[in-house]
Amino acid sequence: AQSVTQPDIHITVSEGASLELRCNYSYGATPYLFWYVQSPGQGLQLLLKYFSGDTLVQGIKGFEAEFKRSQSSFNLRKPSVHWSDAAEYFCAVGPMGTYKYIFGTGTRLKVLA
Amino acid sequence: DARVTQTPRDKVTEMGQEVTMRCQPILGHNTVFWYRQTMMQGLELLAYFRNRAPLDDSGMPKDRFSAEMPDATLATLKIQPSEPRDSAVYFCASGLDTGETQYFGPGTRLLVL
């Protein structure tokens, strides 16, 4: 069965520290992969996406993610976290050419000043 | 800066009342999605439209929910009669085509008393 797992429900980091949010998926074919961010009271904003090609993907707000097929992972990283990055982050898998995204349960990021 | 708009942003109603939520997709997008977000279930796909045609509404409770696209610039989601368990945030998203990135609106926060 297709699934997306975000193992960390909550993560707390200090401002300026590095960040890695984990995402593992289970899917039989090559999926499209996405990271979205949701600030309190807001909709989901696309951070980055992977369809094919270079497995290291650059996104907005200084985020990047690396697709590792062998590990079925698509972890999100940022070298230096800012207080404004506090939000909830969702990983999503979209079967290629179809519309049904599968969303992870989200990781809530707290940033300490 | 094109974006998906949703109205109302917040809605409080009493059980049994009709609720209508509206969405204006990004101009030129031909796919529209309705999602529901709750703490317990996360993000669930309720309905999917392509070129204004409903292609998948398997995620919707059929007896009380209905989704339509009267024209290319308006999508509606109706609940009649509403129940307390319908309390959630309802998101609309649009995309250029099937399998392409989905862009989310800010959501309608619904509370049914």
Side-chain angles (χ1 to χ4, degrees):
Chain A
Q2 303 163 20
S3 65
V4 176
T5 302
Q6 293 182 247
D8 305 304
I9 299 175
H10 296 278
I11 281 187
T12 300
V13 299
S14 298
E15 190 170 19
S18 64
L19 173 70
E20 182 169 28
L21 302 182
R22 295 183 290 166
C23 173
N24 294 97
Y25 67 90
S26 173
Y27 187 69
T30 303
Y32 290 169
L33 296 157
F34 306 84
W35 274 101
Y36 284 87
V37 60
Q38 184 179 26
S39 298
Q42 302 297 317
L44 279 70
Q45 181 184 19
L46 180 69
L47 281 176
L48 47 80
K49 61 188 177 185
Y50 173 78
F51 284 2
S52 64
D54 192 346
T55 56
L56 185 62
V57 181
Q58 302 297 321
I60 62 171
K61 304 186 180 186
F63 285 91
E64 67 177 26
E66 186 171 12
F67 171 55
K68 293 186 177 180
R69 185 188 303 275
S70 61
Q71 298 176 19
S72 297
S73 70
F74 189 56
N75 294 348
L76 181 71
R77 302 193 294 247
K78 186 169 184 177
S80 178
V81 170
H82 188 263
W83 64 266
S84 60
D85 294 324
E88 189 154 20
Y89 292 79
F90 292 91
C91 179
V93 173
M96 189 181 293
T98 73
Y99 58 90
K100 282 201 171 183
Y101 283 22
I102 303 167
F103 284 86
T105 50
T107 297
R108 189 172 296 277
L109 173 66
K110 182 176 180 180
V111 180
L112 300 177
Chain B
D1 184 21
R3 55 184 66 191
V4 176
T5 58
Q6 290 185 247
T7 57
R9 292 294 310 276
D10 289 279
K11 176 72 176 180
V12 181
T13 191
E14 293 186 347
M15 182 173 62
Q17 296 298 305
E18 177 178 300
V19 175
T20 298
M21 291 169 271
R22 293 176 174 82
C23 166
Q24 182 172 15
I26 293 173
L27 189 64
H29 284 189
N30 71 339
T31 59
V32 172
F33 307 81
W34 282 104
Y35 288 89
R36 178 170 59 186
Q37 184 181 42
T38 61
M39 290 291 291
M40 295 300 295
Q41 301 295 329
L43 270 161
E44 304 172 278
L45 179 66
L46 297 176
Y48 162 62
F49 288 77
R50 186 171 187 271
N51 295 327
R52 295 177 55 202
L55 296 189
D56 186 350
D57 61 1
S58 58
M60 280 199 319
K62 298 294 190 301
D63 55 338
R64 299 183 299 108
F65 284 60
S66 62
E68 296 179 344
M69 280 200 74
D71 60 61
T73 64
L74 177 64
T76 62
L77 179 66
K78 291 186 181 180
I79 308 174
Q80 170 62 23
S82 58
E83 298 181 1
R85 58 180 168 153
D86 301 328
S87 299
V89 182
Y90 291 82
F91 289 105
C92 174
S94 70
L96 271 174
D97 207 341
T98 302
E100 295 293 328
T101 303
Q102 297 177 22
Y103 295 88
F104 284 75
T108 294
R109 186 179 304 271
L110 174 65
L111 177 61
V112 183
L113 302 173

